Amino acid sequence: MNAAGARRVSTRTLMIVGLLVALLLAGVVSLWASASPDGLNRVAGDLGFAGAEQASGAQDGPLAGYEVAGIDSRWSGGVAGVIGCLVVLACTSALMLLRKRSTPRTVGGE
């Protein structure tokens, strides 16, 4: 316990709780996301240049349109959100490990 009498929360516990909250938001709360166009699509429609849209190279990708093919449309967006969270976690973890390995250690704590 510290001077104020509060327990210190470990970094590992904080990371696990943060991941669980992110997965809950991505997988469950996303079920109530609006089906209305997002800001950029709305502006394009309002200003009349939505017709200039071109097909994306990722339009046939596994998470195109924030959905997963072959899953009921109600849960598809949530599954895509969970997959997205896990991919970001994996990429961030890999970058942190690479940075940790490439950081030179100093003598004397300087």
Side-chain angles (χ1 to χ4, degrees), residues 24-38:
L24 180 70
L25 290 172
V28 177
V29 177
S30 64
L31 294 173
W32 290 276
S34 174
S36 299
D38 64 13

Side-chain angles (χ1 to χ4, degrees), residues 40-53:
L40 186 57
N41 289 338
R42 173 70 186 263
V43 170
D46 289 349
L47 297 180
F49 64 88
E53 180 180 12

Side-chain angles (χ1 to χ4, degrees), residues 24-88:
L24 180 70
L25 290 172
V28 177
V29 177
S30 64
L31 294 173
W32 290 276
S34 174
S36 299
D38 64 13
L40 186 57
N41 289 338
R42 173 70 186 263
V43 170
D46 289 349
L47 297 180
F49 64 88
E53 180 180 12
Q54 296 179 356
S56 167
Q59 71 185 11
D60 296 325
L63 301 177
Y66 305 109
E67 295 181 344
V68 177
I71 296 180
D72 178 31
S73 62
R74 176 166 167 79
W75 290 99
S76 183
V79 172
V82 168
I83 292 170
C85 281
L86 294 175
V87 167
V88 169

